[in-house]
Amino acid sequence: MLAERIRCEFAAAAPGAQSVSVGVAGSPDGGYDLSRLLSLADRALYAAKGAGRNRVAVQGADGEPTVAHSR
């Protein structure tokens, strides 16, 4: 939700001129190390960019990123 809020605020600051794509990853059990989380977030970021601009993607537990459509 925070990434989506940042994306929306950034787009509102300069409509049509700029956009933000964000990749998010987390670990509910705290079992991943930082390099693993960064790798998952990077994968989600490229999924967001691949789906178009101005989007947020969250790395899912199933290993596939879920991309939220921009508004």
Side-chain angles (χ1 to χ4, degrees):
M1 290 182 353
L2 177 59
E4 180 64 12
R5 195 169 96 213
I6 291 169
R7 185 196 65 76
C8 289
E9 291 291 327
F10 194 86
Q18 304 173 49
S19 68
V20 173
S21 294
V22 180
V24 178
S27 174
D29 61 2
Y32 293 124
D33 64 7
L34 180 58
S35 63
R36 174 76 173 141
L37 288 172
L38 289 173
S39 176
L40 292 172
D42 191 52
R43 182 175 176 187
L45 173 61
Y46 280 99
K49 288 181 175 185
R53 55 187 278 184
N54 203 25
R55 298 173 192 272
V56 174
V58 178
Q59 183 66 36
D62 63 357
E64 293 300 317
T66 301
V67 179
H69 296 284
S70 62
R71 294 181 200 163

